[in-house]
Every structure is written in C-alpha cells, then in structure tokens.
Amino acid sequence: MTSKSALITGITGQDGGHLTRLLLDEGYTVFGIVRGQSNPKRAAFSQEFPEVTLIEADLLDASSVIRAVDLADPDEFYNLAAISHVGYSFRNPVLTLDTTGKGVLHCLEAIRITGRAETTRFYQASTSEMYGGLDYNRPGLGYDEDSLFHPRSPYGVAKLYAHWITRNYRESYGIFASCGILFNHEGERRGVEFVTRKISDAVARISLGLADDVQLGDLWPKRDWGYAGDYVRGMWQMLQHSEPDDFVLATGETHSIEEFLDRAFAEVGIDDWHPYVVRNESFTRPAEVDILLGNPAKAERVLGWRREVDFEGLVRRMVTHDVELLRGQSVRS
Ligand code: NAP
Ligand code: G4F
C-alpha cells in the first residue's frame, strides 16, 4: 500500500471511475475535479466513492485548475478530462479545442506555476484518433509510438496539440509527463453516446421488449476495442515507470461495428440483427476514421502491461451488464 496522493480530472467519466477504483485499492488518497455547480454525476460518484475528495474546477478556467492542484498537492496528476466524443467535436470545434487542447496547457501550467515540476507526475490521455486511420505508413502492423499522425476530426487535432504540449513541458521543464496513446476502450461505465454502449444498451432493450430498433450511422469502420479496466492499469504503470515516455495501449486486433453487432445480438439469441438496425445519417461524420489497429509491443515490453479481456469477453460483459441493469430497473418500477 502507498501513501501517495493523486488528482484526477474527468473523474466522473468512464476511465475516471475505473482509475479511482484502482488507485483506492492501491492505497492512494484520491482527489477529483468536478465541474459545474450542480453536476448530476456528482452524487452518484460520491455514493460509489465516498473516500474521494471532489474539488470544483473546470479545465476551461486556468485559475480553478491551479487552485485544485494547490489543494490536492498530488504526487500524480491524471488528466482524463476532455470533450471526448468525435461526432460532437465536429459540431462544437471551438469548445473542443479550448477543452481538449488548451485545457491540457492549463494543467501543465498549474504544475509549473505552483512549483511542482519536480514533484508531480503527469499523465495525459492521448488517443489513437491522432493517427486518423490512414494506415499508409505501417500497413497491417498497427500503429505504434513512431507512426505518423493525421487526425481526421476537431477532437483528434485538439488531442494532437495536447500530446505535443505535454511532450514540450517534459522537454522544457523536466516535468515527469507521460502520454498514453490509448485505442478505444469500453465497458459497463461507457457513455451511451458511444457506439459500443449504444449497441449493448439497445440489444438489452430489444431482448426485453423495451425497444424495437437502434439507429446507427456507418457500420463498416473498424476499431481496436479493449476493456477500460485493463487500460487504466496501463496509465498507472506509466507513472510508476522510471522515465516519462509515451506508450500505445491497444489489443492488436481490429473489428468492424458489424462484427460488434453480430456478437452483441448473438448474446441474447438473435442471429440476424439487420431487422433491428436502422440507418440514421445524423450519426455519420464529415470525415471518418476507417480503421484503427494498435501495436502495444512497447508497453508490454517496457511496462509489463497486458490486457486481460478480449473482444468476445468485452461484448459479453457489456450486454450482460445492460440486461441485468434494465431487469433491475423494471423490477423496481
Ligand atoms: P468520458 O467518459 O467522456 O469523460 C470525460 C470527462 O471529462 C467527464 O468526467 C467530463 O465531466 C470531463 N470534462 C469535460 N469537459 C470538462 C471541463 N471543461 N472541465 C473539467 N472536466 C471536463 O471520457 P473517457 O472515455 O473516460 O476518456 C477519458 C480520457 O481519455 C478523455 O480525455 C478521452 O478523450 C481519452 N481517450 C478515451 C478513449 C476511450 O476509448 N475511452 C481512448 C483514447 C483516449 P462531466 O461529467 O462534467 O461531463
Ligand atoms: O464509439 P465512437 O463514437 O468512438 P470513436 O469515434 O472511435 O472515439 C472513441 O475512441 C477514441 C479512440 O480511438 C477516443 F479518443 C474517443 O474519445 C472516443 O472514446 O464511434 C466508433 C465508430 C465510428 O466510426 C462512428 O462513426 O462507430 C461509428 N458509429 C456508427 N454509428 C457511431 C454510430 N458512433 C456513435 N457514437 N454513434 C452511432 O450511432
């Protein structure tokens, strides 16, 4: 057990929940940033994690981030906050740049200005969206830390700024700042606005007679989907390493949304999902990332990171969870 403390931004999000559980189990004192004067996720979070101290701050407001860093005085600072939905970033590109890009600079400045450059380790949530799916430099091998970036969305471009400013603060001020370039990771804490949870939730509803269909956009894109619980362990391992560095976390497998649908509907005994899926253009994007495939060899070799949940296990876990959740709700109502 450790006596270390950690500050987490984005603590009310998917990864925030998994990381909080891991750090509390490791004995950390955990602080988390919540935004807004009446954030609806706050009460549920505090009920699940009463040990965590929540600090009101917003990545858009540098002074609030400085105050949070001063209050928490963290050994480790995990920056998970972002506008993280790619489709939303096309509709709100300026807010995405300010939050997902400039917000990271506010975190790094907070560490530097408060004199914590040598004491606070920083994790930045970089993303496979920075590669953009144009697999022209390493066809078939999967993107690694040396692959070229070609982001295809305002979100991906903002994350690329965040990635480079984090590297810049590492090189300029000696901050122990590491970027995890994480491929898609999912699970029972995933927001329903993302395609995997949207499908697992819909499959559960359809199987229980609570919905007739699900409306989706393009089904051919492929993603390297892993389980979020495995990936937050990798984040933590990056900050326990002797040197700051950048690491890809991925499964090394890629699957289309159609394959996700195949497996998810099969979990509830439906062999042909086509009658239940309705195309809706509003869920397509001005530019699409065709395929993402990651190569996690460096994280496996240097950090000893391993993912435990495979694609089949991930889909099963999500559908089972959503069926049980909805059954519980219908029993209560
Ligand atoms: P998520 O569920 O969408 O959570 C995003 C978090 O950011 C929420 O807690 C949200 O708070 C917070 N946030 C948004 N704007 C903020 C602001 N202005 N100030 C403070 N907090 C703000 O995301 P996730 O899936 O956990 O992902 C965590 C991080 O990893 C994100 O940076 C994401 O871009 C990145 N990432 C995710 C994946 C993935 O597959 N999940 C892959 C690669 C990288 P509210 O609760 O108030 O909305
Ligand atoms: O689930 P998605 O919204 O995830 P996306 O765009 O891959 O982004 C996620 O992973 C990134 C890592 O690569 C993260 F950085 C990012 O924060 C986020 O967590 O969409 C996956 C695919 C896309 O091709 C999308 O066009 O599913 C397609 N899709 C088809 N119908 C849909 C839908 N996506 C959503 N969200 N909703 C649909 O109805």
Side-chain angles (χ1 to χ4, degrees):
M1 296 295 265
T2 182
S3 57
K4 285 197 268 190
S5 62
L7 174 63
I8 304 175
T9 73
I11 200 161
T12 54
Q14 169 187 249
D15 292 1
H18 284 284
L19 183 63
T20 299
R21 171 56 57 221
L22 182 148
L23 294 179
L24 288 174
D25 289 349
E26 290 291 333
Y28 281 70
T29 303
V30 178
F31 297 84
I33 282 180
V34 279
R35 64 177 172 151
Q37 62 180 28
S38 59
N39 190 323
K41 296 184 197 159
R42 184 181 184 144
F45 182 89
S46 290
Q47 199 176 1
E48 184 176 1
F49 301 111
E51 316 89 318
V52 173
T53 305
L54 293 176
I55 302 171
E56 286 155 8
D58 193 310
L59 244 57
L60 297 170
D61 173 1
S63 65
S64 74
V65 181
I66 292 170
R67 182 177 150 272
V69 168
D70 250 342
L71 274 172
D73 189 21
D75 297 298
E76 295 170 14
F77 182 161
Y78 295 86
N79 180 39
L80 309 183
I83 285 182
S84 75
H85 193 276
V86 173
Y88 182 90
S89 82
F90 280 104
R91 298 187 293 276
N92 299 278
V94 177
L95 183 62
T96 302
L97 175 62
D98 286 348
T99 311
T100 304
K102 215 163 94 184
V104 181
L105 183 57
H106 294 162
C107 297
L108 291 161
E109 274 292 86
I111 291 175
R112 190 183 69 82
I113 288 170
T114 63
R116 290 179 169 84
E118 288 174 15
T119 52
T120 298
R121 294 187 169 200
F122 183 73
Y123 173 84
Q124 168 55 19
S126 290
T127 168
S128 46
E129 271 286 312
M130 299 188 309
Y131 297 121
L134 304 173
D135 196 9
Y136 48 79
N137 49 348
R138 291 176 62 80
L141 293 176
Y143 293 108
D144 66 14
E145 295 77 4
D146 299 320
S147 299
L148 293 179
F149 296 122
H150 183 140
R152 302 254 298 159
S153 63
Y155 167 76
V157 175
K159 279 286 185 183
L160 193 52
Y161 169 80
H163 183 75
W164 280 106
I165 199 67
T166 302
R167 292 184 66 150
N168 179 255
Y169 270 57
R170 176 162 87 209
E171 292 167 8
S172 305
Y173 304 113
I175 297 179
F176 189 115
S178 293
C179 300
I181 307 174
L182 271 50
F183 284 65
N184 297 51
H185 44 280
E186 320 290 318
E188 56 279 3
R189 291 181 184 273
R190 191 55 145 154
V192 285
E193 67 273 29
F194 298 95
V195 78
T196 56
R197 186 75 195 283
K198 189 172 173 181
I199 293 171
S200 65
D201 173 68
V203 165
R205 283 177 196 279
I206 290 165
S207 75
L208 295 170
L210 301 171
D212 297 328
D213 55 39
V214 56
Q215 306 210 352
L216 296 172
D218 290 323
L219 304 183
W220 45 265
K222 291 184 157 188
R223 292 291 181 272
D224 182 329
W225 278 302
Y227 177 56
D230 287 339
Y231 287 53
V232 299
R233 194 165 8 86
M235 295 175 187
W236 175 72
Q237 285 177 300
M238 286 179 216
L239 293 201
Q240 312 315 305
H241 189 51
S242 53
E243 302 291 334
D245 204 344
D246 304 325
F247 296 93
V248 162
L249 299 184
T251 69
E253 277 179 39
T254 189
H255 298 275
S256 66
I257 296 151
E258 286 168 330
E259 287 171 80
F260 197 98
L261 285 163
D262 284 341
R263 290 229 173 255
F265 275 92
E267 284 298 325
V268 295
I270 298 175
D271 293 334
D272 180 11
W273 47 261
H274 292 86
Y276 302 100
V277 175
V278 177
R279 180 173 171 82
N280 183 331
E281 287 294 326
S282 71
F283 295 116
T284 63
R285 294 163 185 183
E288 183 54 85
V289 171
D290 295 355
I291 175 167
L292 288 176
L293 173 67
N295 182 341
K298 179 177 168 186
E300 290 174 352
R301 189 181 70 251
V302 177
L303 303 175
W305 179 76
R306 293 280 178 280
R307 57 108 175 179
E308 282 165 14
V309 179
D310 64 9
F311 178 66
E312 233 173 278
L314 173 69
V315 182
R316 178 164 305 130
R317 189 176 189 120
M318 292 180 73
V319 173
T320 306
H321 172 270
D322 283 338
V323 169
E324 281 169 11
L325 188 71
L326 286 167
R327 273 209 188 108
Q329 281 172 8
S330 57
V331 166
R332 277 196 296 277
S333 62

